[in-house]
């Protein structure tokens, strides 16, 4: 294992070949994540939308209350439960409000309100190429996330062993509907974090820390370059394209951090060609109170816009 110090930037790339760690570079973006609004305004400047109201403020403490829990297995019952609560904004739909989600904000509002999207004139009832691509990308993530999770759990175990820190891992086996309040204002959201790591600050204290971990398995960049570049080069290209991370994933993970009272956030990107080559890219952030308020005010306006959207 080789640690490389890159001037003014720290990032982690783990190249795995037949599950062997070739080298490790440590990435920590704490200085970046402490700058409120930086992620959205810098990475999505044309489409970024900021909340008009500032009812959630940094001066008020946040209270998180769990309203309902549901296991993610069996999948059919979990999907039925999610469908029943599909009107509740989720951590994955919140980026749509800020203009950096998987769909436009208007589309997210209509979908959450249970309103069928208008069909484009002349559009076939068969799935288009974009829909087929989205389905394949989702399946790619479902297939490969367990491998990313296993590799990362091994890394955590080694880190904690080196620092002699007891720890526990919650593996995204539960969804929760939570209410976040500050003063008289409150919002509700549904969250399903991929992983929450709880650990002691040291073996000599009872002080706990929590880290939210979100896994992503990029599909398009791997598909596009699969027979052109090795996986490690594709991973390095991704770092150059997204030096501070991807805004939608960051917003999603920040929402999970608020819900779980975690002070650290990790985004893990797993690159593989499903044959014999793997790379793991890790972005680390410190939770920022000012950014929390930005997200919660956005979630508040998202909720109010949903109420105005007719079923």
């Amino acid at each position: 294992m080789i640690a490389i110090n890159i001037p003014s930037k720290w990032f982690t790339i783990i190249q795995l070949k037949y599950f062997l760690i070739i080298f490790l570079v440590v990435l920590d973006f704490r200085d970046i994540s402490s700058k409120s609004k930086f992620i959205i305004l810098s990475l999505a400047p044309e489409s970024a939308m900021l909340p008009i109201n500032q009812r959630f403020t940094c001066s008020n403490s946040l209270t998180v209350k769990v309203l309902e829990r549901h296991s993610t297995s069996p999948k059919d019952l979990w999907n039925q439960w999610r469908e029943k609560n599909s009107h509740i904004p989720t951590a994955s739909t919140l980026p749509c409000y800020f203009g950096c989600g998987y769909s436009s904000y208007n589309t997210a509002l209509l979908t959450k309100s249970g309103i069928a999207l208008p069909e484009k004139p002349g559009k076939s009832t068969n799935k288009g190429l974009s829909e087929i691509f989205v389905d394949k990308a989702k399946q790619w993530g479902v297939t490969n996330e367990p491998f990313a999770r296993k590799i990362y759990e091994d890394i955590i175990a080694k880190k904690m062993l080196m620092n002699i820190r007891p720890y526990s891992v919650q593996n995204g086996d539960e969804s929760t509907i939570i209410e976040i309040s500050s003063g008289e204002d409150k919002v509700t959201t549904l969250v399903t974090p991929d992983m929450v790591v709880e650990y002691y600050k040291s073996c000599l204290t009872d002080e706990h820390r929590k880290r939210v971990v979100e896994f992503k398995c990029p599909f398009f960049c791997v598909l596009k370059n699969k027979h052109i570049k090795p996986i490690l080069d594709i991973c390095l290209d991704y770092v150059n394209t997204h030096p501070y991370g991807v805004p939608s994933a960051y917003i999603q993970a920040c929402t999970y951090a608020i819900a779980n009272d975690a002070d650290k956030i990790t985004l893990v990107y797993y690159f593989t060609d499903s044959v014999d080559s793997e790379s793991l890219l890790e972005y680390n952030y410190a939770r920022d109170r000012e950014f929390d308020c930005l997200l919660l005010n956005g979630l508040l306006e998202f909720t109010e816009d949903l109420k105005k959207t007719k079923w």
Side-chain angles (χ1 to χ4, degrees):
M1 186 178 294
I2 305 171
I4 304 175
N5 186 355
I6 300 180
S8 75
K9 290 182 180 179
W10 288 88
F11 65 91
T12 302
I13 295 178
I14 302 169
Q15 167 67 10
L16 297 127
K17 182 86 170 180
Y18 301 108
F19 295 98
L20 292 177
I21 297 179
I22 306 302
F23 73 80
L24 168 67
V25 188
V26 178
L27 163 79
D28 196 333
F29 285 143
R30 283 175 293 184
D31 292 336
I32 291 169
S33 65
S34 66
K35 297 177 181 177
S36 177
K37 309 174 188 175
F38 180 87
I39 297 292
I40 295 174
L41 294 179
S42 295
L43 301 185
E46 296 179 358
S47 57
M49 182 169 78
L50 298 180
I52 298 172
N53 298 314
Q54 299 295 325
R55 283 182 273 176
F56 281 94
T57 64
C58 298
S59 59
N60 295 331
S61 60
L62 298 178
T63 301
V64 177
K65 178 182 177 182
V66 176
L67 302 180
E68 192 174 341
R69 299 179 186 272
H70 199 284
S71 173
T72 56
S73 62
K75 290 294 182 184
D76 56 342
L77 293 180
W78 178 56
N79 287 330
Q80 290 175 21
W81 179 79
R82 286 203 308 168
E83 184 64 28
K84 184 185 72 172
N85 295 289
S86 60
H87 60 285
I88 301 175
T90 63
S92 58
T93 55
L94 182 56
C96 298
Y97 170 86
F98 292 97
C100 56
Y102 54 81
S103 70
S104 69
Y105 183 47
N106 286 338
T107 298
L109 283 174
L110 292 174
T111 303
K112 281 289 174 189
S113 299
I115 300 174
L117 298 176
E119 289 190 8
K120 294 181 180 179
K123 184 179 179 182
S124 169
T125 54
N126 295 326
K127 283 190 175 182
L129 288 176
S130 61
E131 292 173 285
I132 293 174
F133 177 81
V134 169
D135 287 345
K136 285 186 175 293
K138 287 180 178 178
Q139 187 55 47
W140 181 265
V142 170
T143 302
N144 288 294
E145 185 177 308
F147 297 103
R149 189 188 301 273
K150 176 63 173 64
I151 294 168
Y152 191 73
E153 283 183 0
D154 291 344
I155 293 171
I156 292 175
K158 291 175 182 176
K159 283 183 178 179
M160 295 303 173
L161 183 62
M162 290 173 61
N163 291 282
I164 323 176
R165 294 178 181 176
Y167 73 100
S168 64
V169 175
Q170 300 172 27
N171 259 319
D173 53 1
E174 186 178 72
S175 290
T176 55
I177 298 175
I178 61 167
E179 180 186 85
I180 306 168
S181 59
S182 176
E184 296 182 356
D185 293 301
K186 59 181 65 176
V187 288
T188 302
T189 184
L190 192 156
V191 297
T192 312
D194 286 341
M195 181 183 289
V196 179
V197 181
E198 186 171 359
Y199 56 94
Y200 289 95
K201 188 175 180 180
S202 76
C203 60
L204 303 176
T205 178
D206 290 334
E207 188 177 355
H208 285 73
R209 289 286 187 270
K210 281 186 180 179
R211 179 182 295 274
V212 163
V213 184
E214 180 67 14
F215 296 96
K216 300 295 180 184
C217 303
F219 175 67
F220 179 68
C221 60
V222 174
L223 180 68
K224 182 176 66 173
N225 297 291
K226 186 173 180 180
H227 302 295
I228 303 172
K229 296 180 178 180
I231 288 296
L232 178 58
D233 288 349
I234 296 174
C235 185
L236 290 169
D237 287 345
Y238 198 88
V239 174
N240 291 330
T241 305
H242 307 286
Y244 308 121
V246 178
S248 57
Y250 178 67
I251 292 170
Q252 182 182 359
C254 282
T255 309
Y256 293 150
I258 295 171
N260 289 274
D261 194 26
D263 60 339
K264 301 293 183 183
I265 299 162
T266 294
L267 294 175
V268 177
Y269 290 81
Y270 177 67
F271 298 81
T272 181
D273 55 12
S274 297
V275 182
D276 59 2
S277 186
E278 302 166 291
S279 293
L280 207 67
L281 169 63
E282 178 183 337
Y283 294 87
N284 291 303
Y285 309 87
R287 182 177 160 191
D288 178 61
R289 172 67 171 158
E290 199 172 347
F291 201 88
D292 287 354
C293 293
L294 174 72
L295 296 189
L296 292 175
N297 282 306
L299 181 59
L300 185 62
E301 290 192 10
F302 192 168
T303 303
E304 291 176 345
D305 286 345
L306 279 172
K307 293 176 181 177
K308 299 173 188 174
T309 305
K310 294 182 180 180
W311 285 72

